Structure formats: C-alpha cells, structure tokens
C-alpha cells in the first residue's frame, strides 16, 4: 500500500512572523529543514512540496505542487495536494517543523496500512494535524470547510467523524518536535546546532 502514499511538505505560507522569508529555505547544519524530513522518512519513495510559487531551486527529489487555494493556510495546501497527487494519501509535514524521525513515520505508515484511514497523533485528547496522514476520503469534509470559510485545522477534527480516522498516542514523541514560527525559535535551533558542533567537533557527529 505504500505505493498509494507519498510524502508532502507544506511550504506555501507567507512567513509573516519570519519577516516574509520563505521558510522552505530555512537551514539546520547547512541543510534545508525539508530535506532533513525527506531523508528521515526515507521509506517513502515519492515526495511533493506545496508552494505558492514554484522556486527555481530544487528540493531534493521532491516535485512541486502549486497551491490551488491561496491565503487559507495549511488547509489550502493539503487540499491542493490531495486534488493533484496520484496517490490516495499524503503524509504531511510542514517545512518549518523539525524533528520528525523514522520512528514517527513508521508508526503513521503502519497504522495507515492496517486501516486505510487517515492517521494522526493525539496527546491529552488533543489531535495534532502534523505530522499526519491525509487521504482523498477527507476531501468532501475539507471542501465543506473551505466553502464555509473555516480554515483552522483543528476544526476539521471537530467536523470529521472521528470513527473514520485512526489516532495514535503521541505523548512520548510530539515533544521532540520543534515548530519554527518566529526568528527567535529559528535562532534557538541554530544555537543548538552550534553547541553540538562545539561539543562533538564536527557537524556530522552524533
């Protein structure tokens, strides 16, 4: 069934809190954050990147998907991907989320292969939209939300029948993720990178 699912990097945002910088090209240890994610989730053969405008610079092996719906946040990017991709499902990770690893990817993919349903992590009764697996079966609910002008991802879980999705306990994993919404958060990640270099003496050391 993994032939029916692809990886999907969300990168169509305007980066307002980053001073308008395209967050797709933020780096950690000299490598784009999106490439860290793509390499961590190596079990997926096909990758797409959601963008408002197609950049000149490639992002590894990923293909570009231009947003069909602009200015409605992640909802528009996911809708665009599900409409345009050939696969039945997308494992979605925002470009400004750092720390998704192979273990998280395998848990999501294994649950999808067992159930064929959308899969998300949950902690303390809160469902987290990312990383998560979205399927074409969600398109009707997402389109209803879009037409109603409801763009919050959490609202999708309020409207979607929870019996149609698979939830995994993410209490031990979600805390490892870093969401880079502001320059302060990005600089904090860079400081962590510099501290690792000073500690180990090389970027590649673990």
């Amino acid at each position: 069934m993994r032939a029916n699912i692809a990886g999907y990097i969300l990168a169509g945002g305007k980066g307002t809190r980053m001073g308008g910088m395209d967050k797709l090209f933020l780096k950690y240890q000299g490598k784009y954050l999106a490439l860290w994610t793509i390499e961590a989730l190596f079990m997926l053969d096909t990758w797409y990147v959601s963008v408002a405008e197609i950049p000149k610079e490639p992002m590894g092996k990923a293909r570009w998907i231009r947003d069909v719906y602009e200015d409605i946040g992640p909802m528009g990017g996911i809708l665009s991907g599900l409409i345009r991709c050939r696969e039945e499902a997308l494992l979605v990770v925002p470009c400004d989320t750092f720390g998704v690893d192979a273990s998280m990817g395998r848990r999501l993919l294994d649950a999808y292969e067992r159930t064929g349903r959308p899969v998300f992590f949950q902690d303390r009764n809160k469902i987290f939209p990312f990383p998560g697996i979205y399927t074409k079966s969600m398109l009707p609910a997402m389109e209803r939300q879009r037409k109603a002008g409801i763009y919050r991802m959490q609202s999708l879980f309020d409207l979607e029948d929870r019996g149609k999705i698979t939830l995994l306990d993410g209490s031990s994993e979600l805390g490892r993720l870093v969401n880079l919404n502001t320059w302060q958060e990005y600089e904090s990640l860079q400081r962590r990178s510099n501290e690792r270099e000073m500690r180990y003496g090389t970027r590649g050391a673990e």
Side-chain angles (χ1 to χ4, degrees):
M1 189 179 287
R2 288 192 181 173
N4 270 338
I5 183 167
Y8 194 62
I9 301 291
L10 277 178
K14 295 182 177 180
T16 304
R17 285 184 286 176
M18 284 279 189
M21 180 177 179
D22 189 341
K23 290 194 285 186
L24 178 61
F25 296 105
L26 294 177
K27 291 183 176 182
Y28 176 72
Q29 294 185 350
K31 183 164 60 182
Y32 295 129
L33 298 181
L35 290 179
W36 281 99
T37 298
I38 291 170
E39 291 176 10
L41 302 180
F42 58 87
M43 65 289 296
L44 290 170
D45 293 328
T46 303
W47 281 87
Y48 302 99
V49 181
S50 161
V51 290
E53 299 290 339
I54 296 177
K56 294 180 180 179
E57 184 173 352
M59 187 57 62
K61 63 181 180 180
R63 308 170 192 174
W64 305 114
I65 288 185
R66 189 170 179 177
D67 288 348
V68 178
Y69 305 107
E70 299 180 3
D71 301 324
I72 64 172
M75 180 76 66
I78 297 170
L79 267 170
S80 301
L82 289 173
I83 290 169
R84 290 183 165 175
C85 75
R86 296 173 297 180
E87 294 78 11
E88 288 298 316
L90 295 171
L91 197 169
V92 180
V93 184
C95 68
D96 57 0
T97 294
F98 182 74
V100 175
D101 59 21
S103 174
M104 297 182 77
R106 287 194 185 98
R107 287 194 67 198
L108 291 165
L109 290 165
D110 288 347
Y112 172 66
E113 289 180 351
R114 280 198 318 272
T115 67
R117 297 197 297 259
V119 187
F120 302 96
F121 286 111
Q122 178 178 238
D123 185 21
R124 299 178 185 177
N125 294 320
K126 179 182 178 181
I127 301 174
F128 288 76
F130 310 115
I133 293 179
Y134 293 76
T135 69
K136 288 183 183 290
S137 67
M138 301 178 76
L139 280 170
M142 296 180 76
E143 281 288 3
R144 287 195 298 271
Q145 218 173 301
R146 181 188 67 81
K147 291 177 181 177
I150 304 170
Y151 306 137
R152 288 183 65 251
M153 295 305 301
Q154 285 295 329
S155 299
L156 177 64
F157 303 124
D158 295 334
L159 296 174
E160 183 82 349
D161 182 353
R162 295 199 180 188
K164 295 180 180 179
I165 63 178
T166 299
L167 297 175
L168 305 177
D169 179 12
S171 56
S172 64
E173 295 165 306
L174 292 168
R176 300 201 299 263
L177 301 181
V178 178
N179 295 314
L180 304 172
N181 295 310
T182 66
W183 271 115
Q184 289 77 15
E185 291 165 337
Y186 181 53
E187 289 171 350
S188 176
L189 181 68
Q190 295 307 311
R191 285 195 296 272
R192 191 169 78 180
S193 174
N194 293 336
E195 289 167 2
R196 285 177 62 83
E197 287 185 47
M198 292 177 64
R199 180 179 178 184
Y200 295 110
T202 177
R203 283 188 173 185
E206 289 295 332

